[in-house]
Amino acid sequence: MIRKIIFAVLISGVTAQTFIPTISVYADNRDYYVSDNSKFLGQTIPPTGKEHGWYKFPDEEWGYYIDYGKLLKDVWVNESDGDYGIGDNGKMVKGWFKNAIDNNWYYFSPDGKVNKGWLQMDGVWYYMDSKGAMLTGWQLIKQRWYYFDTVTGVMASNLKVDSYYLSGDGSLQ
């Protein structure tokens, strides 16, 4: 079975919470192309015999390497079980991050995967699109309308928005 991994743009940080995509990095089985050496962390790992894969740092955080040990930074790693972000420190991204190019917020769970679909945190609900971007405003989800605050992305419920009443589950009545 051929395993295909695609690296897309993640983000290089301007602040702890804002990231700006820089370049695309693409990897496909054995053929890697890195168009900018700044996508490498500048350190390598001890030989593992594998061409690419996950690396556990001494602090228990995870990174990703290609070319038999070159650690990457500022990329998305698209795996069969989900999409992961690798930050400018070469480690898996966790928590909320804002992409300064598309101006969208993304949430990376504690295991590093970007959340897609419904997300409940601290008693409130959010909805992320198929790429993981947080949705805002009026959204049609599975044939039901919902309203998400245009700043925070929190789903509204049990109130009126634009003269429309939203039920306890947040859907339009």
Side-chain angles (χ1 to χ4, degrees), residues 96-97 102-107 115-119 125-142 144-156:
W96 288 103
F97 287 95
D102 67 11
N103 207 31
N104 288 317
W105 284 94
Y106 296 82
Y107 180 77
N115 193 85
K116 297 175 185 176
W118 288 104
L119 172 65
W125 287 92
Y126 304 88
Y127 194 83
M128 306 332 208
D129 70 12
S130 62
K131 295 183 182 197
M134 181 182 73
L135 297 180
T136 60
W138 286 103
Q139 301 293 329
L140 182 62
I141 302 167
K142 296 186 180 181
R144 298 181 84 176
W145 284 99
Y146 297 86
Y147 182 80
F148 300 89
D149 185 89
T150 57
V151 175
T152 66
V154 171
M155 181 189 75

Side-chain angles (χ1 to χ4, degrees), residues 10-11 16-17 19 54 56 59-63 83-87 89 91-98 105-115 121:
L10 176 63
I11 27 195
Q17 298 257 333
F19 289 83
W54 292 103
K56 194 172 196 174
D59 65 0
E60 303 295 310
E61 294 291 328
W62 289 91
D83 299 333
Y84 300 82
I86 304 296
N89 63 356
K91 296 178 181 178
M92 191 181 288
V93 179
K94 297 174 186 170
W96 288 103
F97 287 95
K98 187 172 186 178
W105 284 94
Y106 296 82
Y107 180 77
F108 293 89
S109 63
D111 68 359
K113 288 182 201 169
V114 70
N115 193 85
M121 290 184 62

Side-chain angles (χ1 to χ4, degrees), residues 52-70:
H52 56 82
W54 292 103
Y55 171 72
K56 194 172 196 174
F57 287 92
D59 65 0
E60 303 295 310
E61 294 291 328
W62 289 91
Y64 201 86
Y65 66 91
I66 62 172
D67 291 343
Y68 297 99
K70 292 180 182 175

Side-chain angles (χ1 to χ4, degrees), residues 23 34-42 70-73:
I23 62 150
V34 177
S35 61
D36 182 346
N37 280 335
S38 72
K39 292 296 148 193
F40 291 115
L41 189 58
K70 292 180 182 175
L71 287 164
L72 295 173
K73 65 179 183 175

